[in-house]
Amino acid sequence: MTKCIFLDRDGVLVKSVLRNGQLDAPFNLAEFEIVKDAPDAVTNFKKLGYLCIVISNQPGISLGQISQTEVELMNQKLLAQLLLDDIYICPHSHLENCECQKPKIGLFLKAIQRWEIDPKISFMIGDRDTDIQAAKKVGCRSILITGGDDSGLTEPDFYATSLTEAVLVVAQNS
Ligand SMILES: [Zn+2]
C-alpha cells in the first residue's frame, strides 16, 4: 500500500479565473496558468514518498464551456511541468448526478484501486468545501488552501496559505 497526495486542480495547482465575480475554471489554454510554487511543491511531495494525483471537477465540459481537446491539452501541460502520477477529471454537471463529482468519491476510489493507495496515510489538498468533504468520506487527512470561494463549512485537518506551506504540513505529519 502506498501513500498519496490527492490534489485539487483549480485554485491549488492552477490559478482560478475570475468570471462574473466568481472564481471559475480556465476554459482554454490561454486562461490556463500553473501556480508558481506548484512544480517545487509536487517535487517535494514525491521526495517525501507520496504519489501525486489530481482529482478535479470540470462541469464546464458537460456544459459545453470547455472542449475535450482543451482538457487534454491542459492535462498534457500539467504532466509536462509537474511530477504528477495521474489525473482524474469528472466531466459532468451537477444535474447529471454522477458518482464522480466531488464531494462524491468515485474518482478517489478508482485511484485508490489503480494505485493501491492507503487513504489513512494520504492527504487531500483543496481550496473548496467539497474537497474537504470528499477527504472525510475517503478517510484521508485534508489540507485547505485558504482563499477559495468557500468559507470552510467543513473543518479541515490542516490549513495552509500556499502549496509551499502545505509541503511543510505534510512533512511534519508524515
Ligand atoms: Zn462525474
Side-chain angles (χ1 to χ4, degrees):
M1 296 298 268
T2 185
K3 52 186 186 177
C4 179
I5 307 289
F6 296 108
L7 292 144
D8 178 38
R9 199 193 78 177
D10 305 325
V12 175
L13 295 175
V14 170
K15 287 190 183 170
S16 295
V17 175
L18 194 61
R19 217 186 303 278
N20 306 320
Q22 286 205 316
L23 293 173
D24 204 346
F27 283 176
N28 51 56
L29 216 50
E31 290 181 341
F32 192 80
E33 190 182 346
I34 291 174
V35 170
K36 192 159 53 64
D37 58 353
D40 280 351
V42 174
T43 299
N44 284 322
F45 291 139
K46 298 291 294 179
K47 281 184 187 159
L48 289 165
Y50 290 87
L51 293 171
C52 289
I53 296 180
V54 174
I55 307 235
S56 176
N57 291 349
Q58 293 298 329
I61 299 171
S62 168
L63 297 170
Q65 297 162 324
I66 309 172
S67 74
Q68 196 61 51
T69 312
E70 291 291 334
V71 175
E72 286 301 324
L73 291 171
M74 292 175 190
N75 286 349
Q76 282 172 24
K77 202 164 177 177
L78 282 174
L79 291 167
Q81 296 190 27
L82 310 174
L83 284 180
L84 297 169
D85 293 285
D86 215 342
I87 299 176
Y88 292 83
I89 304 259
C90 163
H92 307 109
S93 82
H94 69 283
L95 300 170
E96 289 164 88
N97 198 30
C98 65
E99 288 305 315
C100 52
Q101 188 176 61
K102 292 177 289 184
K104 289 188 182 171
I105 60 170
L107 295 180
F108 290 84
L109 296 180
K110 266 191 195 171
I112 286 167
Q113 191 176 31
R114 159 77 179 79
W115 292 92
E116 300 186 340
I117 294 162
D118 182 354
K120 290 190 298 292
I121 51 173
S122 299
F123 290 86
M124 167 75 206
I125 302 178
D127 70 330
R128 308 195 70 146
D129 194 59
T130 48
D131 298 315
I132 308 308
Q133 281 183 41
K136 296 217 185 284
K137 283 186 226 165
V138 168
C140 66
R141 289 162 290 177
S142 55
I143 303 175
L144 181 72
I145 302 278
T146 51
D149 263 351
D150 293 16
S151 51
L153 301 165
T154 312
E155 185 79 9
D157 294 297
F158 304 97
Y159 292 91
T161 57
S162 67
L163 273 175
T164 302
E165 209 174 293
V167 170
L168 296 177
V169 170
V170 169
Q172 284 162 3
N173 293 279
S174 289

